[in-house]
């Protein structure tokens, strides 16, 4: 039971670091500044639902996806570790990684329909970007029921927290201030860098053993 709790906490913190709901709440405010509170809640809800569906597909079908493309687990962990470490490095430098940041074209498209903001750029790539998907697939790599259940439960809790941060984004910005949000982002960047290095080590170890 203790091991399950520790594993759940590890997975949850990995998602927390890479999704960074506190910092992303300011992005959400910027994208929805011209809509009313009811529409803002709807956009927030749809964005986390879209993210949960996408991550669930990759967490549950990870093994089949590996087999389909002939990918080995060590190779995935090496590539995923490098990518997650890069996101963490950018966050440590006070930058938004391009891997999880919407492009200008995404933002222009989202203006055409307010509801589309929930799908892109919020659902993809801000919440369910490559780093989030890689994290989910890494922790559910063995495809056991316990692993998949832990990943989905941790991500579901992360989605609830993200929704709360989005809806209360203006309060968070006022209460914490931009400087505090930047500090949190850099701490999450450090955690992500460590997670990325750990994934890389496990990948190299698995490749050597194989």
């Amino acid at each position: 039971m203790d091991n399950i709790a520790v594993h759940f906490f590890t997975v949850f913190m990995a998602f927390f670091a890479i999704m960074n709901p506190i910092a992303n709440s300011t992005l959400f405010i910027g994208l929805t500044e011209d809509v009313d509170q009811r529409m803002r809640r709807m956009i927030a809800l749809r964005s986390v639902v879209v993210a949960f569906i996408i991550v669930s597909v990759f967490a549950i079908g990870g093994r089949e996806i590996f087999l389909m493309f002939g990918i080995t687990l060590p190779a995935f962990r090496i590539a995923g570790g490098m990518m997650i470490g890069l996101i963490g490095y950018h966050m440590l430098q006070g930058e938004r990684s391009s891997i999880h940041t919407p492009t200008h074209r995404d933002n222009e498209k989202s203006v055409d329909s307010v509801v589309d903001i929930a799908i892109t750029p919020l659902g993809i790539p801000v919440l369910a970007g490559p780093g989030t998907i890689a994290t989910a697939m890494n922790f559910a790599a063995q495809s056991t029921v316990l692993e998949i259940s832990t990943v989905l439960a941790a991500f579901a809790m992360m989605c609830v927290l993200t929704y709360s941060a989005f809806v209360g984004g203006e309060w968070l910005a006022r209460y914490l201030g931009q400087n505090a949000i930047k500090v949190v982002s850099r701490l999450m960047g450090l955690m992500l860098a460590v997670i990325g290095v750990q994934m890389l080590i496990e990948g190299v170890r698995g490749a050597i053993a194989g």
Side-chain angles (χ1 to χ4, degrees), residues 16 22 28 32 35 57 65 76 79 110 138-139 145-146:
F16 186 90
I22 295 176
F28 178 80
T32 60
V35 302
V57 168
I65 293 172
F76 178 80
S110 68
N138 176 65
F139 283 112
V145 174
L146 180 60

Side-chain angles (χ1 to χ4, degrees), residues 159-171:
C159 286
V160 172
L161 183 60
T162 300
Y163 172 80
S164 301
F166 281 178
V167 172
E170 292 181 346
W171 178 84

